[in-house]
Amino acid sequence: MAGLSDLELRRELQALGFQPGPITDTTRDVYRNKLRRLRGEARLRDEERLREEARPREEAQPRGEERLREEARLREDAPLRARPAAASPRAEPWLSQPASGSAYATPGAYGDIRPSAASWLLPVDCERKTDEFCQAKQKAALLELLHELYNFLAIQAGNFECGNPENLKSKCIPVMEAQEYIANVTSSSSAKFEAALTWILSSNKDVGIWLKGEDQSELVTTVDKVVCLESARPRMGVGCRLSRALLTAVTNVLIFFWCLAFLWGLLILLKYRWRKLEEEEQAMYEMVKKIIDVVQDHYVDWEQDMERYPYVGILHVRDSLIPPQSRRRMKRVWDRAVEFLASNESRIQTESHRVAGEDMLVWRWTKPSSFSDSER
């Protein structure tokens, strides 16, 4: 059956009374399964018909033998029988009745009537019946419809994942398109299709079919809100699965190396940052030492009457220690040094004085006492 072309497959289905829809890569396997089932049903019908035809012949054969024996007995007794007497008036009414009347049919005439083979093959109307036989038939029809729907959605989702040769907009197939396909394959009505969707909504089982509405993030509770159907387990070919597995493996390896490179770069950046902080801290300590030397030398010069004031402006010290081209680059080092002196150096006091008509912050060197309090 796998060797049948699309044209031969269509002719076989039409010969068995089924009118197929378009035969494509996504529907070819479904139609092959349908042809296999139709052939099996036709084979069962032929066997039933042959059994029905053979049954009357088997029943007629004993009757023919009895008839032959009766005719032989009558021929043997013919010379001994007398000429029949005239029919009496009482018997005339009986003789005048036509032999073909239904009132004179033999008792076995109705008992021999059996339904033909075609009558056994008529579909049973179980739409409004609730007996066990009809319930089993309805359940079988529902399962067949769900099986066809599951295969269709799985194939469509697999095609979408594997290159999308049919240019589908989404894996979620519109409900009208799915209903038309099921009607072509199973010849079921829209009511049965809606009943199948209702069963999916009411069932707690995972049938591999998702029912989605306009907002796909919300849960659909009624059939009239279903917009599209999606397979939970796409069916993909071996080549597609291998290519996707290879792509996933390569992607994971690339992600691993990218993460490794990012961590390595982050480590290098942190090491660079730590080194810069250490250099900055070392430069700050050197700047503190230079500031202390400048303020102390200025105080010594004041004691020797070489300076007019015992204090020196903070900005003046900065300008004497840092050249103009380096002041922007050394600003952070200078600010940290000033903050360190204010909180950790007791020999230098920060004051505010008016110099040349302008208030400014200055540093004054505080000379320690020559004697301690105990010596005094």
Side-chain angles (χ1 to χ4, degrees):
M1 188 176 295
L4 292 177
S5 63
D6 293 345
L7 181 59
E8 293 173 347
L9 180 59
R10 179 179 295 276
R11 289 176 179 175
E12 289 284 344
L13 290 171
Q14 291 174 349
L16 292 173
F18 178 77
Q19 188 64 30
I23 300 178
T24 61
D25 293 339
T26 59
T27 61
R28 187 175 293 108
D29 293 338
V30 176
Y31 285 132
R32 286 173 179 171
N33 295 333
K34 186 68 176 180
L35 177 60
R36 189 178 295 108
R37 287 197 297 270
L38 290 175
R39 285 180 175 177
E41 293 174 0
R43 190 180 304 108
L44 292 177
R45 288 196 298 268
D46 292 340
E47 293 176 356
E48 184 67 22
R49 180 175 56 81
L50 292 176
R51 286 196 296 269
E52 291 295 332
E53 291 178 354
R55 191 176 301 163
R57 289 197 296 268
E58 293 174 356
E59 295 176 354
Q61 184 175 0
R63 294 180 184 175
E65 294 176 355
E66 292 178 359
R67 190 181 302 110
L68 291 175
R69 287 196 295 269
E70 182 66 23
E71 291 178 357
R73 186 180 61 80
L74 291 176
R75 282 195 299 270
E76 292 175 354
D77 297 341
L80 302 175
R81 284 181 300 175
R83 184 172 181 175
S88 63
R90 186 176 292 180
E92 288 179 359
W94 296 93
L95 296 175
S96 62
Q97 295 292 335
S100 61
S102 61
Y104 299 97
T106 59
Y110 294 101
D112 293 338
I113 296 176
R114 289 183 175 85
S116 62
S119 65
W120 286 101
L121 299 176
L122 293 176
V124 180
D125 186 10
C126 291
E127 294 293 336
R128 301 181 181 274
K129 296 182 180 180
T130 58
D131 55 279
E132 295 182 359
F133 177 78
C134 288
Q135 288 182 355
K137 286 291 184 182
Q138 291 176 0
K139 184 177 180 180
L142 178 63
L143 292 178
E144 181 181 1
L145 190 149
L146 290 174
H147 178 70
E148 296 291 348
L149 181 61
Y150 173 84
N151 289 337
F152 173 69
L153 296 177
I155 292 173
Q156 293 295 87
N159 290 337
F160 184 83
E161 295 287 347
C162 298
N164 194 15
E166 298 184 4
N167 297 323
L168 299 175
K169 296 181 180 179
S170 172
K171 291 190 295 184
C172 199
I173 306 301
V175 64
M176 293 304 299
E177 182 178 345
Q179 182 177 350
E180 291 177 359
Y181 174 82
I182 294 300
N184 290 333
V185 175
T186 63
S187 301
S188 60
S189 61
S190 59
K192 292 183 178 180
F193 183 79
E194 293 181 0
L197 298 186
T198 304
W199 184 86
I200 294 175
L201 289 175
S202 60
S203 176
N204 295 326
K205 300 179 180 179
D206 181 15
V207 297
I209 299 175
W210 292 336
L211 307 184
K212 298 185 178 180
E214 291 289 345
D215 188 0
Q216 297 189 2
S217 61
E218 295 182 358
L219 184 64
V220 179
T221 56
T222 56
V223 177
D224 56 348
K225 294 183 180 179
V226 178
V227 176
C228 60
L229 310 175
E230 182 178 342
S231 174
R233 292 179 282 274
R235 183 176 299 171
M236 296 175 286
V238 177
C240 179
R241 290 182 182 275
L242 290 177
S243 61
R244 287 174 61 85
L246 181 61
L247 179 61
T248 303
V250 172
T251 304
N252 292 335
V253 170
L254 290 177
I255 292 175
F256 172 76
F257 280 109
W258 275 110
C259 293
L260 188 62
F262 174 77
L263 293 176
W264 184 260
L266 183 62
L267 180 61
I268 293 176
L269 181 62
L270 291 176
K271 290 180 66 176
Y272 173 78
R273 179 63 179 169
W274 293 334
R275 188 174 67 252
K276 296 296 290 184
L277 290 176
E278 290 177 358
E279 293 176 356
E280 182 179 319
E281 187 173 4
Q282 186 67 28
M284 184 266 295
Y285 287 129
E286 293 179 359
M287 183 63 67
V288 169
K289 184 177 180 181
K290 291 179 181 180
I291 292 172
I292 292 174
D293 292 340
V294 169
V295 175
Q296 186 177 11
D297 291 344
H298 182 83
Y299 183 79
V300 171
D301 292 342
W302 175 76
E303 287 183 333
Q304 296 176 0
D305 296 330
M306 297 177 62
E307 292 289 345
R308 183 176 180 181
Y309 301 107
Y311 50 82
V312 60
I314 294 177
L315 297 180
H316 178 73
V317 175
R318 183 199 65 182
D319 295 343
S320 63
L321 294 178
I322 304 175
Q325 65 272 17
S326 302
R327 287 172 188 172
R328 176 177 294 181
R329 180 173 57 83
M330 298 292 293
K331 182 178 185 304
R332 181 176 174 83
V333 175
W334 171 260
D335 292 341
R336 291 187 62 185
V338 172
E339 183 180 357
F340 181 84
L341 288 172
S343 58
N344 296 285
E345 184 58 59
S346 63
R347 296 174 297 176
I348 296 179
Q349 292 183 351
T350 303
E351 301 176 353
S352 177
H353 288 276
R354 180 175 290 275
V355 180
E358 183 179 357
D359 292 336
M360 63 184 303
L361 294 175
V362 298
W363 277 323
R364 180 195 292 271
W365 180 262
T366 302
K367 188 175 181 181
S369 176
S370 302
F371 302 99
S372 63
D373 295 339
S374 59
E375 292 177 345
R376 290 180 182 179

